[in-house]
Amino acid sequence: MASVNAIDSDRGDRVSLIYNPVARAIFFQAVVFVGLLALIVWIVRNTVDNLERAGRNISFGFLNERAGFDIGQSLVPYSSDSTYIDALIVGLLNTLLIAFVGIITATIVGFLIGVGRLSRNWLIRKFCTVYVEVFRNIPPLLVIFFWYLGVLAILPQPRESLHLPFGMLLSNRGLAVPKPVWGEGAWLAGAALLLAIAMCVFVARRARARQMATGQRFPVFWTCIALLVGLPLLALVVMGFPVSFDVPVLGAFQTSGGMAIGPEFLALYLSLSLYTASFIAEIVRAGIRGVGKGQTEASFALGLRPGATTRLVVLPQAMRIIVPPLTSQYLNLTKNSSLAIAVGYPDLVSVGGTILNKSGNSIQIVAIWMVVYLSISLATSLFMNWFNTRVALVER
Amino acid sequence: MSVADVVFVRQSMEQPAAPPSSQRGLVHWARTNLFATPTDSLLTLVGIVAIIYFLPGLLDWLFFSAQWTGTDRSYCATVAQGGMQPDGWSGACWAFVRAKFPQFMFNTYPEDERWRVMLAGALLVVLLIPFLIPRAPYKTLNALLLFVALPIVGYVLLVGGWFGLRYVPTREWGGFMVTIILSYVGIVVSLPLGVILALGRRSQLPVVKMLCVIFIEMVRGVPLITVLFMATKMLPLFMPNGMKIDDFLCVLIGVSLFASAYMAEVIRGGLQAMPKGQYEGADSLGLTYWQKIRLIILPQALKLVIPGIVNTFIGLFKDTSLVYIVNMFDLLGAIRRNFTDPNWMTPQTPMTGLVFAGFVFWIFCFGMSRYSIYMERRLDTGHKR
């Protein structure tokens, strides 16, 4: 025994540095680090050299210069006299807008199609399967062109617009919808809505506490709907309907009045929502299938009805499986919104591309892009992780 | 009591009675699958009405009213639009696709040299098919030819400049060949690079691990378009003065790096799914790190994530259409370019071209996803944990 130990320690002392794991690790990492550093130094020197030759620099000062180009759709006031930074903010807001409405629509459509693929109804099942297989297997850019060039571009001229319900007009220049004009005292309706939301939260909490304590149930859903619709309506009635609608009217070349939604936005919105919905549908289907059949059977055995089973037993467990991949789909949709550049919807990449071509400051623009997209990704991940911990079942 | 005393003993099995007529046949199928509940019935009726409303028009546009032959736009335009079709006509203009098919495939690649592209394509198909069939022999040789020899041969064939082949600059490339080249190079580069990045991310060495995490997360956090802009606008800036870097090469580098980050995450999934005993077993056998990875870990881990790899490849294949943004013409770009050809400009042309592009992309992506499902089933050894 002693001799074995002696041999071991004997070897340990004489072992070459090459075979020492710690030494090897340090050496290897040092090599990688130095190599990378050399590469970066080389790149930076080349870049500085090239920029100097072209008479440019890496400062962000140019952002305060006059932009000099117009932007078709803007959520904040913008003119061609605004600065580059204003243009980028307009682009960022447009990106966030398309991502937000796209995510909501894609989630709704995706859940419907995903549940439809598990339907008992043969026709619905087949329809949903065809939908998923078609949209999953063609590039999103093609879907955008399909809507933009294939559908929206061949709609009639504005003066022959299609009349849709609620006074909406659809033409090849986009969709014109009535714009609500808020009059005196309309703030009360907004305040009533806020109050209704607060009351809903309160009612839901009390109802839950009461059910936990006594087992008595309370129709929270219908109460909340009544509150959310009723209170603002009541406020409006009290103030004598201080709201009117600016309905779009047909003009010779374009519709006037109302709120115009450009064909670029429509094409991008429809394509991103429908494309992403096909992926969400697959995630939802996998999530629901991932909940064991025994769960449903046990729930039926307890006497729960199918609706309650889905809501109380299957969905909460399915959400555990659904949420992580759903997050990455939301991020994909946000990133795919950069395809806006193909149809000229002024999102961050499109506006940035214009600035890049105008000013030639590629490094700064790409840096801004990366920072913004990485921040959006991070923020979405954080939010969805928080949501995920909420829906995750507490395991004992 | 003997058997003979018994009046009747059945000697053979009676055939089971047929199910009652309410439980079989078309009616039963329809009642369980289409009209099980009132809601089901309503949905079915809505679906049938929708089919009756849309399908005939769709089929009519695609096939019955479509113009299959023709030499210019007049075949696909109505009289009012300066063509020969009756007013109110609407149908696919397949004549456009037929006339422009070579352009969709090669775009502006010189016509006399197109045999080189076709030869490279044929080599790809010949090498790819046995590679995809699990039972075909000589897998190692096949893989070497496909992933090492073919890129070199393909480069010589397509670019030219050697062996008396005419030099074809990459700005003359285009069409479907660009789509294929981008995806092929993307997979050839991203697979090994993805393996290295994934190993780096799971490495014990903090510097290596951090570098890999930063690279993967940064690339995955931004859209491909930004990466492409970066590749085409910034890579030339990184090069020493006087050194020109080809635009197509920039895009190839961008696409490959982008795909490797996604590939790395897929492969990391496989590495993580491997039981710890495999790592420890390899260590206890005295294998070195690279022996352990090459002989024990990767063969099993890659097998686990073949569906994920194919999915990444499908994503890459679809994403190649984005190179149009940086003025490169892949299949979709080449088709779009021809929309403005005055010889073929009709209201039906864009839709026809897009449907054709969609069909080609769909065939390839759908085929790949079916293949991944097939491989998943085949490789499923039943050792699910």
Side-chain angles (χ1 to χ4, degrees):
Chain A
M1 198 62 194
S3 62
V4 174
N5 276 340
I7 291 169
D8 255 8
S9 60
D10 201 30
R11 263 197 199 160
D13 286 337
R14 265 193 289 148
V15 77
S16 154
L17 213 54
I18 294 177
Y19 296 115
N20 183 335
V22 177
R24 285 173 68 132
I26 291 174
F27 172 75
F28 185 62
Q29 292 186 77
V31 167
V32 169
F33 191 69
V34 168
L36 191 79
L37 212 64
L39 184 71
I40 290 175
V41 167
W42 185 71
I43 285 175
V44 167
R45 280 186 56 181
N46 284 335
T47 311
V48 169
D49 196 39
N50 284 327
L51 288 177
E52 236 169 54
R53 209 173 303 274
R56 296 203 307 255
N57 56 8
I58 319 183
S59 86
F60 285 86
F62 77 98
L63 287 175
N64 289 319
E65 289 167 23
R66 180 177 174 276
F69 59 90
D70 281 313
I71 294 181
Q73 186 179 340
S74 163
L75 292 172
V76 290
Y78 175 86
S79 74
S80 56
D81 285 330
S82 306
T83 58
Y84 281 134
I85 201 149
D86 289 333
L88 284 172
I89 289 172
V90 169
L92 172 62
L93 288 177
N94 280 339
T95 295
L96 292 178
L97 175 75
I98 194 89
F100 183 71
V101 293
I103 282 174
I104 291 178
T105 318
T107 309
I108 296 171
V109 177
F111 266 76
L112 286 178
I113 300 281
V115 172
R117 280 202 77 179
L118 297 169
S119 163
R120 218 172 12 181
N121 189 320
W122 180 85
L123 200 66
I124 301 293
R125 209 164 56 222
K126 287 294 160 211
F127 171 78
C128 293
T129 309
V130 168
Y131 176 93
V132 168
E133 290 298 351
V134 166
F135 275 95
R136 248 176 11 146
N137 290 319
I138 49 179
L141 192 64
L142 190 76
V143 188
I144 293 178
F145 284 142
F146 170 80
W147 284 107
Y148 191 63
L149 298 173
V151 178
L152 293 173
I154 56 173
L155 283 173
Q157 299 284 325
R159 92 183 81 172
E160 292 153 5
S161 290
L162 301 173
H163 291 264
L164 298 180
F166 305 111
M168 292 191 289
L169 296 174
L170 186 65
S171 69
N172 60 4
R173 302 289 283 274
L175 182 72
V177 295
K179 187 165 81 176
V181 181
W182 303 103
E184 192 93 357
W187 60 270
L188 195 67
L193 187 68
L194 287 182
L195 183 72
I197 293 173
M199 283 172 77
C200 273
V201 174
F202 179 72
V203 166
R205 284 205 174 158
R206 281 302 301 273
R208 195 177 164 77
R210 196 179 69 156
Q211 191 180 356
M212 286 294 164
T214 65
Q216 285 175 310
R217 293 173 60 183
F218 186 76
V220 177
F221 181 74
W222 294 111
T223 319
C224 281
I225 293 285
L227 278 175
L228 288 174
V229 176
L231 274 185
L233 211 63
L234 193 71
L236 285 180
V237 169
V238 167
M239 298 306 288
F241 272 107
V243 57
S244 59
F245 285 95
D246 182 9
V247 180
V249 284
L250 292 181
F253 297 105
Q254 58 185 47
T255 53
S256 55
M259 201 159 53
I261 301 173
E264 295 84 18
F265 179 84
L266 281 180
L268 195 64
Y269 162 68
L270 288 171
S271 338
L272 289 182
S273 320
L274 296 183
Y275 176 76
T276 314
S278 67
F279 288 87
I280 293 181
E282 281 301 89
I283 293 169
V284 169
R285 185 174 77 116
I288 293 176
R289 291 263 304 259
V291 178
K293 208 172 155 66
Q295 296 286 329
T296 319
E297 285 166 354
S299 166
F300 285 157
L302 283 175
L304 267 69
R305 290 192 300 185
T309 302
T310 310
R311 201 158 38 85
L312 299 172
V313 177
V314 177
L315 265 188
Q317 299 187 67
M319 282 313 264
R320 273 201 304 181
I321 311 173
I322 290 173
V323 168
L326 195 63
T327 313
S328 65
Q329 283 311 319
Y330 286 172
L331 290 176
N332 277 350
L333 190 145
T334 312
K335 284 184 277 172
N336 278 338
S337 73
S338 59
L339 295 175
I341 197 170
V343 288
Y345 173 73
D347 82 321
L348 182 70
V349 171
S350 174
V351 170
T354 313
I355 298 176
L356 195 156
N357 286 333
K358 254 177 79 77
S359 68
N361 291 305
S362 50
I363 295 181
Q364 293 93 318
I365 295 293
V366 170
I368 291 173
W369 280 342
M370 298 197 91
V371 167
V372 170
Y373 277 105
L374 287 176
S375 319
I376 294 177
S377 296
L378 200 65
T380 313
S381 298
L382 285 178
F383 174 76
M384 292 308 279
N385 281 345
W386 168 81
F387 185 67
N388 194 23
T389 45
R390 282 215 49 179
V391 297
L393 291 189
V394 185
E395 288 186 29
R396 263 174 279 230
Chain B
M1 205 169 96
S2 69
V3 176
D5 296 340
V6 182
V7 178
F8 175 76
V9 172
R10 184 180 295 286
Q11 298 293 320
S12 62
M13 280 297 260
E14 174 77 333
Q15 287 298 311
S21 61
S22 67
Q23 293 297 310
R24 64 188 154 128
L26 205 60
V27 176
H28 170 69
W29 182 86
R31 281 181 72 159
T32 45
N33 287 304
L34 293 177
F35 303 101
T37 61
T39 328
D40 262 358
S41 312
L42 189 70
L43 286 173
T44 305
L45 286 180
V46 170
I48 291 174
V49 168
I51 288 176
I52 292 173
Y53 189 76
F54 287 112
L55 198 61
L58 190 68
L59 291 179
D60 187 53
W61 188 86
L62 279 176
F63 303 110
F64 305 129
S65 288
Q67 182 65 36
W68 296 87
T69 51
T71 49
D72 57 48
R73 69 180 295 277
S74 64
Y75 289 87
C76 295
T78 60
V79 176
Q81 293 156 350
M84 54 177 71
Q85 296 289 348
D87 278 328
W89 174 83
S90 173
C93 184
W94 298 122
F96 164 69
V97 174
R98 276 175 75 153
K100 294 286 184 181
F101 190 76
Q103 287 217 27
F104 293 167
M105 291 297 117
F106 310 106
N107 204 20
T108 46
Y109 204 88
E111 262 176 59
D112 299 340
E113 309 291 332
R114 282 181 186 169
W115 61 270
R116 284 153 52 175
V117 184
M118 285 189 242
L119 181 61
L123 280 177
L124 177 66
V125 172
V126 164
L127 288 176
L128 192 63
I129 288 178
F131 185 74
L132 293 181
I133 299 172
R135 233 177 293 153
Y138 307 117
K139 271 281 175 298
T140 321
L141 178 70
N142 198 335
L144 277 178
L145 284 175
L146 187 60
F147 294 125
V148 180
L150 186 62
I152 301 167
V153 175
Y155 178 80
V156 171
L157 266 178
L158 296 179
V159 180
W162 282 288
F163 312 117
L165 289 173
R166 206 183 107 199
Y167 172 68
V168 181
T170 50
R171 60 168 186 282
E172 290 180 19
W173 296 16
F176 194 54
M177 64 173 275
V178 162
T179 303
I180 294 288
I181 293 171
L182 281 172
S183 358
Y184 172 70
V185 173
I187 192 103
V188 168
V189 175
S190 72
L191 205 53
L193 207 56
V195 168
I196 291 173
L197 283 169
L199 288 175
R201 197 172 175 163
R202 289 189 38 90
S203 154
Q204 310 279 334
L205 314 176
V207 173
V208 175
K209 183 174 177 175
M210 199 184 64
L211 288 176
C212 290
V213 171
I214 290 177
F215 176 82
I216 292 173
E217 292 306 329
M218 267 184 63
V219 172
R220 276 162 42 94
V222 298
L224 177 57
I225 291 181
T226 14
V227 176
L228 287 179
F229 262 111
M230 204 167 135
T232 49
K233 305 273 177 186
M234 279 169 70
L235 264 188
L237 279 179
F238 292 164
M239 291 297 127
N241 180 40
M243 191 171 145
K244 279 261 165 106
I245 178 161
D246 192 86
D247 257 4
F248 193 75
L249 185 63
C250 288
V251 168
L252 276 182
I253 293 174
V255 167
S256 307
L257 290 182
F258 187 78
S260 357
Y262 283 83
M263 202 61 96
E265 283 301 271
V266 170
I267 293 168
R268 185 168 73 110
L271 293 178
Q272 274 175 351
M274 290 281 297
K276 212 171 166 216
Q278 296 291 325
Y279 290 87
E280 290 167 351
D283 283 337
S284 69
L285 282 175
L287 299 181
T288 68
Y289 177 78
W290 289 110
Q291 280 176 330
K292 173 175 76 178
I293 295 299
R294 192 165 50 87
L295 300 171
I296 310 288
I297 306 299
L298 275 186
Q300 300 183 69
L302 287 183
K303 199 177 98 173
L304 277 177
V305 290
I306 281 185
I309 292 175
V310 176
N311 276 341
T312 312
F313 188 51
I314 293 176
L316 175 66
F317 189 77
K318 289 192 291 184
D319 279 345
T320 54
S321 57
L322 264 61
V323 295
Y324 143 79
I325 309 285
V326 287
N327 290 328
M328 207 147 285
F329 294 99
D330 75 316
L331 172 68
L332 189 56
I335 290 178
R336 258 178 63 83
R337 208 175 128 113
N338 280 301
F339 290 167
T340 45
D341 179 356
N343 199 22
W344 279 103
M345 220 157 67
T346 70
Q348 307 296 340
T349 317
M351 200 59 172
T352 311
L354 290 177
V355 168
F356 175 70
F359 181 70
V360 173
F361 273 108
W362 189 83
I363 289 280
F364 275 79
C365 294
F366 187 72
M368 282 189 267
S369 79
R370 288 295 112 169
Y371 179 74
S372 101
I373 292 173
Y374 159 75
M375 281 309 277
E376 204 172 347
R377 289 223 181 100
R378 206 190 134 81
L379 293 174
D380 186 10
T381 40
H383 293 304
K384 282 264 164 65
R385 276 161 197 278

